[in-house]
Coordinates of all heavy atoms in Angstrom, one line a residue:
M1 N -151.4 -81.0 -2.9 CA -152.3 -79.9 -3.4 C -153.7 -80.1 -2.6 O -154.2 -81.2 -2.5 CB -152.5 -80.0 -4.9 CG -153.1 -78.8 -5.5 SD -153.4 -78.9 -7.3 CE -154.7 -80.2 -7.3
T2 N -154.2 -79.0 -2.1 CA -155.5 -79.1 -1.5 C -156.5 -79.0 -2.5 O -156.3 -78.6 -3.6 CB -155.7 -78.0 -0.4 OG1 -155.7 -76.7 -1.1 CG2 -154.7 -77.9 0.6
N3 N -157.8 -79.4 -2.1 CA -158.9 -79.6 -3.2 C -159.2 -78.2 -3.7 O -159.7 -78.2 -4.9 CB -160.1 -80.2 -2.5 CG -159.9 -81.7 -2.4 OD1 -158.9 -82.2 -3.0 ND2 -160.6 -82.3 -1.4
N4 N -159.1 -77.1 -2.9 CA -159.6 -75.8 -3.4 C -158.6 -75.1 -4.2 O -158.9 -74.0 -4.7 CB -160.0 -74.9 -2.2 CG -161.2 -75.6 -1.6 OD1 -162.0 -76.2 -2.2 ND2 -161.4 -75.4 -0.2
E5 N -157.4 -75.6 -4.3 CA -156.4 -74.9 -5.0 C -156.7 -74.8 -6.5 O -157.1 -75.8 -7.1 CB -155.0 -75.6 -4.9 CG -154.4 -75.5 -3.5 CD -153.0 -74.7 -3.6 OE1 -152.2 -75.1 -4.3 OE2 -153.0 -73.8 -2.8
S6 N -156.5 -73.6 -7.1 CA -156.7 -73.5 -8.5 C -155.3 -73.9 -9.2 O -154.3 -73.7 -8.7 CB -156.9 -72.0 -8.9 OG -158.1 -71.6 -8.4
T7 N -155.6 -74.5 -10.3 CA -154.4 -75.0 -11.0 C -154.3 -74.2 -12.4 O -155.2 -73.6 -12.8 CB -154.5 -76.5 -11.4 OG1 -155.6 -76.7 -12.3 CG2 -154.7 -77.3 -10.1
K8 N -153.2 -74.4 -13.0 CA -153.0 -73.8 -14.3 C -154.0 -74.4 -15.3 O -154.4 -73.7 -16.3 CB -151.6 -73.8 -14.7 CG -151.1 -74.9 -15.5 CD -149.6 -74.8 -15.8 CE -149.1 -76.1 -16.3 NZ -147.7 -76.2 -16.4
E9 N -154.3 -75.6 -15.1 CA -155.3 -76.2 -16.0 C -156.7 -75.5 -15.9 O -157.4 -75.2 -16.8 CB -155.6 -77.7 -15.7 CG -154.5 -78.6 -16.2 CD -153.1 -78.5 -15.4 OE1 -153.2 -78.1 -14.2 OE2 -152.1 -78.7 -16.0
D10 N -157.1 -75.1 -14.6 CA -158.3 -74.3 -14.4 C -158.2 -73.0 -15.2 O -159.2 -72.6 -15.8 CB -158.5 -74.0 -12.9 CG -158.6 -75.2 -12.0 OD1 -159.1 -76.2 -12.5 OD2 -158.2 -75.2 -10.8
M11 N -157.1 -72.4 -15.1 CA -156.9 -71.1 -15.8 C -156.9 -71.3 -17.2 O -157.5 -70.4 -17.9 CB -155.5 -70.5 -15.3 CG -155.3 -70.3 -13.8 SD -156.4 -69.0 -13.2 CE -157.3 -69.9 -11.9
H12 N -156.4 -72.4 -17.7 CA -156.5 -72.7 -19.2 C -157.9 -72.8 -19.6 O -158.2 -72.3 -20.7 CB -155.7 -74.0 -19.4 CG -155.3 -74.1 -20.8 ND1 -154.9 -75.3 -21.4 CD2 -155.3 -73.3 -21.9 CE1 -154.6 -75.2 -22.7 NE2 -154.9 -73.9 -23.0
V13 N -158.8 -73.4 -18.8 CA -160.2 -73.6 -19.2 C -160.8 -72.3 -19.4 O -161.4 -71.9 -20.4 CB -160.9 -74.4 -18.2 CG1 -162.4 -74.5 -18.4 CG2 -160.4 -75.9 -18.1
W14 N -160.7 -71.4 -18.4 CA -161.5 -70.2 -18.5 C -160.9 -69.1 -19.4 O -161.6 -68.5 -20.1 CB -161.9 -69.5 -17.2 CG -160.8 -68.8 -16.4 CD1 -160.1 -69.3 -15.4 CD2 -160.3 -67.5 -16.6 NE1 -159.2 -68.4 -15.0 CE2 -159.3 -67.2 -15.7 CE3 -160.6 -66.5 -17.6 CZ2 -158.6 -66.0 -15.7 CZ3 -159.9 -65.3 -17.5 CH2 -159.0 -65.1 -16.6
T15 N -159.6 -69.1 -19.5 CA -159.0 -68.2 -20.5 C -159.2 -68.7 -21.9 O -159.5 -67.8 -22.8 CB -157.4 -68.1 -20.3 OG1 -156.8 -69.4 -20.3 CG2 -157.1 -67.4 -18.9
S16 N -159.3 -70.0 -22.2 CA -159.7 -70.5 -23.5 C -161.1 -70.0 -23.9 O -161.4 -69.6 -25.0 CB -159.7 -72.0 -23.6 OG -158.4 -72.4 -23.3
K17 N -162.0 -70.2 -22.9 CA -163.4 -69.8 -23.2 C -163.4 -68.3 -23.4 O -164.2 -67.9 -24.4 CB -164.2 -70.1 -22.0 CG -164.7 -71.6 -22.0 CD -165.7 -71.8 -20.9 CE -165.9 -73.3 -20.6 NZ -166.2 -73.7 -19.2
Y18 N -162.7 -67.5 -22.6 CA -162.8 -66.1 -22.7 C -162.2 -65.7 -24.2 O -162.8 -64.9 -24.9 CB -162.1 -65.4 -21.7 CG -162.0 -63.9 -21.9 CD1 -163.2 -63.1 -21.7 CD2 -160.9 -63.2 -22.5 CE1 -163.2 -61.8 -22.1 CE2 -160.9 -61.9 -22.8 CZ -162.1 -61.2 -22.7 OH -162.1 -59.8 -22.9
A19 N -161.1 -66.3 -24.5 CA -160.5 -66.1 -25.8 C -161.5 -66.3 -27.0 O -161.7 -65.5 -27.9 CB -159.2 -66.8 -26.0
D20 N -162.1 -67.4 -26.9 CA -163.1 -67.8 -27.9 C -164.3 -66.8 -28.0 O -164.6 -66.3 -29.1 CB -163.8 -69.1 -27.6 CG -163.0 -70.3 -28.1 OD1 -162.0 -70.0 -28.8 OD2 -163.4 -71.4 -27.8
K21 N -164.8 -66.4 -26.9 CA -165.9 -65.5 -26.8 C -165.5 -64.1 -27.3 O -166.3 -63.5 -28.0 CB -166.4 -65.4 -25.4 CG -167.8 -64.9 -25.2 CD -168.1 -64.8 -23.7 CE -167.5 -63.6 -23.1 NZ -167.8 -63.5 -21.6
A22 N -164.3 -63.7 -27.0 CA -163.9 -62.3 -27.3 C -163.3 -62.2 -28.7 O -162.9 -61.1 -29.1 CB -162.9 -61.8 -26.2
G23 N -163.0 -63.4 -29.3 CA -162.4 -63.4 -30.6 C -160.9 -63.2 -30.6 O -160.3 -62.7 -31.6
Y24 N -160.3 -63.7 -29.5 CA -158.8 -63.7 -29.4 C -158.3 -65.1 -29.5 O -159.1 -66.0 -29.5 CB -158.4 -63.0 -28.1 CG -158.8 -61.6 -27.9 CD1 -159.3 -61.3 -26.6 CD2 -158.8 -60.7 -28.9 CE1 -159.7 -60.0 -26.4 CE2 -159.2 -59.4 -28.6 CZ -159.7 -59.0 -27.5 OH -160.1 -57.7 -27.2
M25 N -157.1 -65.3 -29.5 CA -156.5 -66.6 -29.3 C -155.5 -66.6 -28.2 O -154.9 -65.5 -27.8 CB -155.9 -67.1 -30.6 CG -154.8 -66.3 -31.0 SD -154.1 -67.1 -32.6 CE -152.4 -66.5 -32.5
L26 N -155.2 -67.7 -27.5 CA -154.1 -67.7 -26.5 C -152.8 -67.8 -27.1 O -152.7 -68.2 -28.3 CB -154.4 -69.0 -25.6 CG -155.7 -69.1 -24.8 CD1 -155.7 -70.3 -24.0 CD2 -155.8 -67.8 -23.9
N27 N -151.8 -67.4 -26.4 CA -150.4 -67.4 -26.9 C -150.1 -68.8 -27.5 O -150.3 -69.8 -26.9 CB -149.5 -67.2 -25.7 CG -148.0 -66.9 -26.1 OD1 -147.6 -67.4 -27.1 ND2 -147.3 -66.1 -25.4
P28 N -149.7 -68.8 -28.7 CA -149.5 -70.1 -29.4 C -148.2 -70.8 -28.9 O -147.9 -72.0 -29.1 CB -149.3 -69.8 -30.9 CG -149.0 -68.3 -30.9 CD -149.6 -67.7 -29.7
D29 N -147.3 -70.0 -28.1 CA -146.1 -70.6 -27.6 C -146.4 -71.2 -26.2 O -146.7 -70.6 -25.3 CB -145.0 -69.6 -27.5 CG -143.8 -70.1 -26.9 OD1 -143.0 -70.6 -27.7 OD2 -143.6 -70.1 -25.6
D30 N -146.4 -72.6 -26.2 CA -146.9 -73.3 -25.0 C -146.2 -72.9 -23.8 O -146.7 -72.8 -22.7 CB -146.6 -74.8 -25.3 CG -148.0 -75.5 -25.7 OD1 -148.9 -74.7 -25.8 OD2 -147.9 -76.7 -25.7
E31 N -144.8 -72.7 -23.9 CA -144.0 -72.5 -22.7 C -144.4 -71.1 -22.1 O -144.6 -71.0 -20.8 CB -142.6 -72.4 -23.1 CG -141.7 -72.8 -21.8 CD -140.2 -72.9 -22.2 OE1 -140.0 -73.6 -23.3 OE2 -139.3 -72.4 -21.6
S32 N -144.5 -70.1 -22.9 CA -144.9 -68.7 -22.5 C -146.3 -68.9 -21.9 O -146.6 -68.2 -20.8 CB -144.8 -67.7 -23.6 OG -143.7 -67.8 -24.3
L33 N -147.2 -69.5 -22.6 CA -148.6 -69.6 -22.2 C -148.6 -70.2 -20.8 O -149.2 -69.6 -19.8 CB -149.4 -70.4 -23.1 CG -150.8 -70.7 -22.7 CD1 -151.7 -69.5 -22.6 CD2 -151.5 -71.7 -23.7
H34 N -147.9 -71.3 -20.6 CA -148.0 -72.0 -19.3 C -147.4 -71.1 -18.1 O -147.9 -71.2 -17.0 CB -147.4 -73.4 -19.4 CG -148.4 -74.3 -20.1 ND1 -149.2 -75.1 -19.4 CD2 -148.7 -74.3 -21.4 CE1 -150.0 -75.7 -20.4 NE2 -149.7 -75.3 -21.6
L35 N -146.4 -70.4 -18.5 CA -145.8 -69.4 -17.4 C -146.9 -68.5 -16.9 O -147.1 -68.2 -15.7 CB -144.7 -68.7 -17.9 CG -143.4 -69.5 -18.0 CD1 -142.3 -68.6 -18.6 CD2 -142.9 -69.9 -16.5
V36 N -147.7 -67.9 -17.9 CA -148.7 -66.9 -17.5 C -149.9 -67.6 -16.7 O -150.3 -67.1 -15.7 CB -149.3 -66.2 -18.7 CG1 -150.3 -65.2 -18.3 CG2 -148.2 -65.6 -19.5
L37 N -150.3 -68.8 -17.2 CA -151.3 -69.6 -16.5 C -150.9 -69.9 -15.1 O -151.7 -69.8 -14.2 CB -151.7 -70.8 -17.3 CG -152.3 -70.6 -18.7 CD1 -152.5 -71.8 -19.5 CD2 -153.6 -69.7 -18.7
E38 N -149.7 -70.3 -14.9 CA -149.2 -70.6 -13.6 C -149.2 -69.4 -12.7 O -149.6 -69.5 -11.5 CB -147.7 -71.1 -13.7 CG -147.5 -72.5 -13.4 CD -146.2 -73.1 -14.0 OE1 -145.2 -72.3 -13.8 OE2 -146.1 -74.2 -14.4
G39 N -148.8 -68.2 -13.3 CA -148.9 -67.0 -12.5 C -150.2 -66.6 -12.1 O -150.5 -66.2 -11.0
L40 N -151.1 -66.8 -13.0 CA -152.6 -66.5 -12.7 C -153.1 -67.4 -11.5 O -153.7 -67.0 -10.6 CB -153.5 -66.8 -13.9 CG -153.6 -65.6 -14.9 CD1 -154.3 -66.0 -16.2 CD2 -154.3 -64.4 -14.3
A41 N -152.8 -68.7 -11.6 CA -153.1 -69.7 -10.6 C -152.5 -69.3 -9.3 O -153.2 -69.4 -8.2 CB -152.8 -71.1 -11.0
R42 N -151.3 -68.9 -9.3 CA -150.5 -68.5 -8.0 C -151.3 -67.3 -7.4 O -151.5 -67.3 -6.2 CB -149.1 -68.2 -8.4 CG -148.2 -68.2 -7.2 CD -146.7 -67.9 -7.6 NE -146.3 -68.6 -8.8 CZ -145.9 -67.9 -9.9 NH1 -145.9 -66.6 -9.9 NH2 -145.4 -68.6 -10.9
N43 N -151.7 -66.3 -8.2 CA -152.3 -65.2 -7.6 C -153.8 -65.6 -7.2 O -154.2 -65.0 -6.1 CB -152.4 -64.0 -8.8 CG -151.2 -63.2 -8.8 OD1 -150.4 -63.2 -7.9 ND2 -151.0 -62.5 -9.9
R44 N -154.4 -66.4 -7.9 CA -155.7 -66.8 -7.5 C -155.6 -67.5 -6.1 O -156.4 -67.2 -5.2 CB -156.2 -67.8 -8.5 CG -157.5 -68.5 -8.1 CD -158.7 -67.7 -8.7 NE -159.9 -68.0 -7.9 CZ -161.0 -67.3 -8.0 NH1 -161.0 -66.3 -8.9 NH2 -162.0 -67.5 -7.3
N45 N -154.6 -68.3 -5.9 CA -154.5 -69.1 -4.6 C -154.0 -68.1 -3.5 O -154.3 -68.3 -2.4 CB -153.5 -70.2 -4.8 CG -154.1 -71.3 -5.7 OD1 -155.4 -71.5 -5.7 ND2 -153.3 -71.9 -6.6
K46 N -153.1 -67.1 -3.9 CA -152.6 -66.3 -2.9 C -153.5 -65.1 -2.5 O -153.7 -64.8 -1.3 CB -151.3 -65.7 -3.4 CG -150.4 -64.8 -2.4 CD -149.1 -64.5 -3.0 CE -148.4 -63.5 -2.1 NZ -147.3 -62.9 -2.8
H47 N -154.2 -64.5 -3.5 CA -155.0 -63.3 -3.2 C -156.5 -63.6 -3.4 O -157.3 -62.7 -3.1 CB -154.6 -62.3 -4.2 CG -153.2 -61.8 -4.2 ND1 -152.6 -61.1 -3.2 CD2 -152.2 -62.1 -5.0 CE1 -151.4 -60.9 -3.4 NE2 -151.1 -61.4 -4.5
G48 N -156.9 -64.8 -3.9 CA -158.4 -65.1 -4.1 C -158.9 -64.5 -5.4 O -160.1 -64.6 -5.6
K49 N -158.1 -63.8 -6.2 CA -158.6 -63.3 -7.5 C -157.6 -63.5 -8.6 O -156.3 -63.7 -8.3 CB -158.7 -61.7 -7.4 CG -159.7 -61.3 -6.3 CD -160.8 -60.5 -6.9 CE -162.1 -60.4 -6.0 NZ -161.8 -59.9 -4.7
N50 N -158.0 -63.5 -9.8 CA -157.1 -63.8 -11.0 C -156.3 -62.5 -11.3 O -156.5 -61.9 -12.4 CB -157.9 -64.2 -12.2 CG -158.8 -65.4 -11.9 OD1 -158.5 -66.3 -11.1 ND2 -159.9 -65.4 -12.5
Y51 N -155.5 -62.1 -10.4 CA -154.7 -60.9 -10.7 C -153.7 -61.2 -11.8 O -153.1 -62.2 -11.8 CB -154.0 -60.3 -9.5 CG -155.0 -59.7 -8.5 CD1 -155.0 -60.1 -7.2 CD2 -155.8 -58.7 -8.9 CE1 -155.9 -59.6 -6.2 CE2 -156.7 -58.1 -7.9 CZ -156.7 -58.5 -6.6 OH -157.6 -58.0 -5.7
C52 N -153.5 -60.1 -12.6 CA -152.5 -60.3 -13.6 C -151.1 -60.7 -13.1 O -150.6 -60.0 -12.2 CB -152.4 -58.9 -14.4 SG -151.2 -58.9 -15.7
P53 N -150.5 -61.7 -13.7 CA -149.2 -62.1 -13.1 C -148.1 -61.1 -13.5 O -147.0 -61.3 -13.0 CB -149.0 -63.5 -13.8 CG -150.0 -63.6 -14.9 CD -151.1 -62.6 -14.7
C54 N -148.3 -60.3 -14.5 CA -147.2 -59.4 -14.8 C -147.4 -57.9 -14.4 O -146.8 -57.0 -15.0 CB -146.8 -59.5 -16.3 SG -148.1 -59.9 -17.4
R55 N -148.3 -57.7 -13.5 CA -148.5 -56.4 -12.9 C -148.5 -56.5 -11.4 O -148.6 -57.6 -10.9 CB -149.9 -55.8 -13.4 CG -150.0 -55.6 -14.9 CD -151.4 -55.1 -15.2 NE -151.8 -55.3 -16.6 CZ -151.5 -54.5 -17.6 NH1 -150.7 -53.4 -17.4 NH2 -151.9 -54.8 -18.8
I56 N -148.3 -55.3 -10.8 CA -148.1 -55.3 -9.3 C -149.4 -55.3 -8.6 O -150.2 -54.4 -8.9 CB -147.3 -54.1 -8.9 CG1 -146.0 -54.0 -9.7 CG2 -147.0 -54.1 -7.4 CD1 -144.8 -54.7 -9.2
V57 N -149.7 -56.2 -7.7 CA -150.8 -56.2 -6.8 C -150.6 -55.2 -5.8 O -149.6 -55.4 -5.0 CB -151.2 -57.5 -6.3 CG1 -152.4 -57.5 -5.3 CG2 -151.3 -58.6 -7.4
T58 N -151.3 -54.1 -5.6 CA -150.9 -53.0 -4.7 C -151.5 -53.2 -3.3 O -151.0 -52.7 -2.3 CB -151.5 -51.7 -5.2 OG1 -153.0 -51.7 -5.1 CG2 -151.0 -51.4 -6.6
G59 N -152.6 -54.0 -3.2 CA -153.3 -54.2 -1.9 C -154.5 -53.2 -1.7 O -155.2 -53.3 -0.8
D60 N -154.6 -52.2 -2.7 CA -155.8 -51.3 -2.8 C -156.8 -51.9 -3.7 O -156.6 -52.1 -4.9 CB -155.2 -50.0 -3.3 CG -156.4 -49.0 -3.5 OD1 -157.6 -49.5 -3.7 OD2 -156.1 -47.8 -3.5
D61 N -157.9 -52.4 -3.1 CA -158.9 -53.2 -3.8 C -159.4 -52.4 -5.1 O -159.6 -53.1 -6.1 CB -160.1 -53.5 -3.0 CG -159.8 -54.6 -2.0 OD1 -158.7 -55.2 -2.1 OD2 -160.7 -54.9 -1.2
Q62 N -159.6 -51.1 -5.0 CA -160.1 -50.4 -6.1 C -159.1 -50.4 -7.3 O -159.5 -50.6 -8.4 CB -160.3 -48.9 -5.7 CG -161.6 -48.7 -4.9 CD -162.9 -49.4 -5.6 OE1 -163.2 -49.2 -6.7 NE2 -163.6 -50.2 -4.8
E63 N -157.8 -50.2 -6.9 CA -156.8 -50.2 -7.9 C -156.6 -51.6 -8.5 O -156.5 -51.8 -9.7 CB -155.4 -49.8 -7.3 CG -155.1 -48.3 -7.3 CD -155.3 -47.7 -8.7 OE1 -154.5 -48.1 -9.6 OE2 -156.1 -46.8 -8.8
D64 N -156.6 -52.5 -7.6 CA -156.3 -53.9 -8.0 C -157.4 -54.6 -8.9 O -157.1 -55.4 -9.7 CB -156.0 -54.8 -6.8 CG -154.7 -54.4 -6.2 OD1 -153.8 -53.7 -6.8 OD2 -154.4 -54.7 -5.0
K65 N -158.6 -54.0 -8.7 CA -159.8 -54.4 -9.6 C -159.4 -54.3 -11.0 O -159.9 -55.1 -11.9 CB -160.9 -53.5 -9.3 CG -162.2 -54.2 -8.8 CD -163.3 -53.3 -8.8 CE -164.0 -53.3 -7.5 NZ -165.0 -52.2 -7.4
K66 N -158.6 -53.3 -11.4 CA -158.3 -53.0 -12.8 C -157.4 -54.1 -13.4 O -157.3 -54.3 -14.6 CB -157.5 -51.7 -12.9 CG -158.3 -50.5 -12.4 CD -157.4 -49.2 -12.5 CE -158.1 -48.1 -11.8 NZ -157.1 -47.0 -11.6
I67 N -156.7 -54.9 -12.5 CA -155.8 -55.9 -13.1 C -156.2 -57.3 -12.8 O -155.5 -58.2 -12.8 CB -154.4 -55.7 -12.5 CG1 -154.3 -55.8 -11.0 CG2 -153.8 -54.3 -13.0 CD1 -152.9 -56.0 -10.5
I68 N -157.6 -57.4 -12.6 CA -158.1 -58.8 -12.6 C -158.3 -59.2 -14.0 O -158.8 -58.6 -14.8 CB -159.5 -58.9 -11.8 CG1 -159.3 -58.5 -10.3 CG2 -160.1 -60.3 -12.0 CD1 -160.6 -58.3 -9.6
C69 N -157.7 -60.3 -14.3 CA -157.7 -60.8 -15.7 C -159.1 -61.2 -16.2 O -159.7 -61.9 -15.4 CB -156.7 -62.0 -15.8 SG -156.4 -62.5 -17.5
P70 N -159.5 -60.9 -17.3 CA -158.9 -60.0 -18.3 C -159.0 -58.5 -17.8 O -160.1 -58.0 -17.5 CB -159.7 -60.2 -19.5 CG -161.1 -60.7 -19.1 CD -160.9 -61.4 -17.7
C71 N -157.8 -57.9 -17.7 CA -157.7 -56.5 -17.2 C -158.3 -55.5 -18.1 O -158.7 -55.7 -19.2 CB -156.2 -56.3 -16.9 SG -155.3 -56.2 -18.4
I72 N -158.4 -54.3 -17.5 CA -159.1 -53.2 -18.2 C -158.2 -52.7 -19.4 O -158.7 -52.0 -20.2 CB -159.4 -51.9 -17.3 CG1 -158.1 -51.3 -16.8 CG2 -160.4 -52.3 -16.2 CD1 -158.4 -49.9 -16.3
Y73 N -157.0 -53.1 -19.4 CA -156.1 -52.7 -20.5 C -156.0 -53.6 -21.7 O -155.5 -53.2 -22.8 CB -154.7 -52.5 -19.9 CG -154.6 -51.8 -18.6 CD1 -154.4 -52.5 -17.4 CD2 -154.8 -50.4 -18.6 CE1 -154.4 -51.8 -16.1 CE2 -154.7 -49.8 -17.4 CZ -154.5 -50.4 -16.2 OH -154.4 -49.7 -15.0
H74 N -156.5 -54.8 -21.5 CA -156.1 -55.9 -22.6 C -156.6 -55.5 -23.9 O -155.9 -55.7 -25.0 CB -156.4 -57.3 -22.1 CG -157.9 -57.6 -22.2 ND1 -158.9 -57.0 -21.4 CD2 -158.6 -58.4 -23.0 CE1 -160.1 -57.5 -21.7 NE2 -159.9 -58.3 -22.7
K75 N -157.8 -55.0 -24.0 CA -158.4 -54.7 -25.4 C -157.5 -53.7 -26.2 O -157.3 -54.0 -27.4 CB -159.8 -54.3 -25.3 CG -160.8 -55.3 -24.8 CD -162.1 -54.9 -24.9 CE -163.0 -56.1 -24.4 NZ -164.4 -55.7 -24.0
D76 N -157.2 -52.6 -25.6 CA -156.3 -51.7 -26.2 C -155.0 -52.3 -26.6 O -154.5 -52.0 -27.6 CB -156.1 -50.4 -25.3 CG -157.3 -49.5 -25.3 OD1 -158.2 -49.7 -26.2 OD2 -157.4 -48.6 -24.4
E77 N -154.4 -53.0 -25.6 CA -153.1 -53.6 -25.9 C -153.1 -54.5 -27.0 O -152.2 -54.5 -27.9 CB -152.5 -54.3 -24.6 CG -152.2 -53.3 -23.5 CD -152.0 -54.0 -22.2 OE1 -152.3 -55.2 -21.9 OE2 -151.4 -53.4 -21.3
I78 N -154.2 -55.3 -27.1 CA -154.2 -56.3 -28.2 C -154.5 -55.6 -29.5 O -153.8 -55.9 -30.5 CB -155.4 -57.3 -27.9 CG1 -155.0 -58.2 -26.7 CG2 -155.6 -58.3 -29.1 CD1 -156.2 -59.0 -26.1
S79 N -155.3 -54.5 -29.5 CA -155.5 -53.9 -30.8 C -154.3 -53.1 -31.2 O -153.9 -52.9 -32.3 CB -156.8 -53.1 -30.7 OG -156.7 -51.9 -30.2
N80 N -153.6 -52.6 -30.2 CA -152.3 -51.7 -30.6 C -151.1 -52.6 -30.8 O -150.3 -52.3 -31.6 CB -152.0 -50.7 -29.5 CG -153.1 -49.7 -29.3 OD1 -153.8 -49.4 -30.3 ND2 -153.2 -49.1 -28.1
D81 N -150.9 -53.6 -29.9 CA -149.7 -54.3 -30.0 C -149.8 -55.8 -30.5 O -148.8 -56.5 -30.7 CB -149.0 -54.4 -28.5 CG -148.9 -53.1 -27.9 OD1 -148.8 -52.1 -28.6 OD2 -149.1 -53.0 -26.7
G82 N -151.0 -56.3 -30.6 CA -151.3 -57.6 -31.1 C -151.4 -58.6 -30.0 O -151.8 -59.8 -30.2
S83 N -151.1 -58.2 -28.7 CA -151.2 -59.1 -27.6 C -151.3 -58.3 -26.3 O -150.9 -57.1 -26.3 CB -150.0 -60.1 -27.5 OG -148.9 -59.4 -27.2
C84 N -151.8 -58.9 -25.3 CA -151.9 -58.2 -24.0 C -150.5 -58.1 -23.4 O -149.6 -58.8 -23.8 CB -152.9 -58.8 -23.1 SG -152.5 -60.4 -22.3
H85 N -150.4 -57.3 -22.4 CA -149.1 -57.1 -21.7 C -148.4 -58.4 -21.3 O -147.1 -58.5 -21.4 CB -149.3 -56.2 -20.5 CG -148.1 -55.8 -19.8 ND1 -147.0 -55.2 -20.4 CD2 -147.7 -55.8 -18.4 CE1 -146.1 -55.0 -19.4 NE2 -146.5 -55.4 -18.3
C86 N -149.1 -59.4 -20.9 CA -148.5 -60.6 -20.5 C -148.3 -61.7 -21.6 O -147.9 -62.7 -21.4 CB -149.5 -61.4 -19.5 SG -149.5 -60.8 -17.8
D87 N -148.8 -61.3 -22.8 CA -148.8 -62.2 -23.9 C -149.6 -63.4 -23.6 O -149.3 -64.6 -23.9 CB -147.3 -62.7 -24.3 CG -146.5 -61.6 -25.0 OD1 -147.1 -60.6 -25.4 OD2 -145.3 -61.7 -25.0
L88 N -150.8 -63.2 -23.0 CA -151.7 -64.3 -22.8 C -152.7 -64.3 -24.0 O -152.8 -65.3 -24.7 CB -152.4 -64.1 -21.5 CG -153.6 -65.1 -21.2 CD1 -153.0 -66.5 -21.1 CD2 -154.3 -64.7 -19.9
F89 N -153.4 -63.2 -24.2 CA -154.3 -63.2 -25.3 C -153.7 -62.4 -26.5 O -153.1 -61.4 -26.4 CB -155.6 -62.3 -24.8 CG -156.3 -63.0 -23.7 CD1 -156.3 -62.3 -22.5 CD2 -156.9 -64.2 -23.9 CE1 -157.0 -62.9 -21.4 CE2 -157.6 -64.8 -22.8 CZ -157.6 -64.2 -21.6
F90 N -153.9 -63.0 -27.7 CA -153.4 -62.5 -28.9 C -154.5 -62.2 -29.9 O -155.6 -62.9 -29.9 CB -152.5 -63.6 -29.6 CG -151.1 -63.5 -29.1 CD1 -150.8 -63.9 -27.8 CD2 -150.0 -63.2 -29.9 CE1 -149.5 -63.9 -27.3 CE2 -148.7 -63.2 -29.5 CZ -148.4 -63.5 -28.2
K91 N -154.2 -61.3 -30.7 CA -155.1 -61.0 -31.9 C -155.2 -62.2 -32.7 O -154.1 -62.8 -32.9 CB -154.5 -59.9 -32.7 CG -155.6 -59.0 -33.4 CD -154.8 -57.9 -34.2 CE -154.9 -56.6 -33.4 NZ -154.2 -55.5 -34.2
K92 N -156.3 -62.7 -33.2 CA -156.4 -63.9 -34.1 C -155.7 -63.6 -35.4 O -156.0 -62.5 -36.0 CB -157.8 -64.2 -34.3 CG -158.2 -65.4 -33.5 CD -159.6 -65.9 -33.9 CE -160.1 -67.0 -33.0 NZ -161.5 -67.1 -33.1
K93 N -155.0 -64.5 -35.9 CA -154.5 -64.3 -37.3 C -155.5 -64.9 -38.2 O -156.1 -66.0 -38.0 CB -153.2 -65.2 -37.5 CG -152.1 -64.5 -36.6 CD -150.7 -65.2 -36.9 CE -149.7 -64.7 -36.0 NZ -149.6 -65.5 -34.7
D94 N -155.8 -64.2 -39.3 CA -156.8 -64.7 -40.3 C -156.1 -65.6 -41.3 O -155.0 -65.5 -41.6 CB -157.5 -63.6 -41.0 CG -158.0 -62.5 -40.1 OD1 -158.8 -62.8 -39.3 OD2 -157.5 -61.4 -40.3
Ligands
LIG101 S1 -152.3 -58.3 -19.3 FE1 -153.2 -60.1 -20.1 S2 -152.8 -61.7 -18.6 FE2 -152.5 -59.7 -17.6 S3 -154.5 -59.3 -16.8 FE3 -154.5 -58.3 -18.7 S4 -155.4 -59.8 -20.0 FE4 -154.9 -60.9 -18.2

């Protein structure tokens, strides 16, 4: 691994912080969570941005901006379905 490579641990750090700040929680299922974090790290290393691992990167910067995690869709998805499309962020259970 080169020094500049992002790892899934890096992704875990910022997604945890974001979840705390936004009042969400991360997927409680470790295996699913790690798959998404790995996908984010892969996109970060390949494309230079945290593109959503479960959406298509088109190559059009304007379009792809919408799917930089946390994407423009996640708030609606979480409020409607309880989690975002990738099952990364979840509505907190009280
Ligand atoms: S669906 Fe979830 S993981 Fe994918 S970009 Fe949106 S917030 Fe991030």
Side-chain angles (χ1 to χ4, degrees):
M1 194 179 72
T2 63
N3 287 338
N4 292 331
E5 287 245 308
S6 294
T7 63
K8 84 181 169 192
E9 285 71 29
D10 298 328
M11 300 296 123
H12 198 195
V13 170
W14 76 259
T15 53
S16 300
K17 280 190 191 145
Y18 176 74
D20 273 355
K21 199 180 80 182
Y24 302 138
M25 60 179 211
L26 295 181
N27 191 330
D29 180 84
D30 258 4
E31 204 174 316
S32 310
L33 174 64
H34 284 260
L35 282 176
V36 182
L37 295 175
E38 252 165 34
L40 278 171
R42 200 179 315 117
N43 277 345
R44 174 91 204 170
N45 292 324
K46 187 169 170 198
H47 301 287
K49 302 239 161 57
N50 305 327
Y51 289 126
C52 183
C54 31
R55 299 182 199 270
I56 310 273
V57 179
T58 66
D60 174 335
D61 282 357
Q62 285 308 313
E63 271 308 299
D64 292 341
K65 238 191 230 169
K66 298 176 188 168
I67 60 159
I68 295 173
C69 191
C71 63
I72 64 164
Y73 310 106
H74 75 293
K75 288 186 181 164
D76 283 346
E77 290 171 343
I78 296 166
S79 84
N80 295 332
D81 309 328
S83 63
C84 72
H85 184 52
C86 283
D87 287 344
L88 173 60
F89 298 114
F90 276 65
K91 208 181 261 179
K92 256 191 186 160
K93 295 188 186 88
D94 315 294

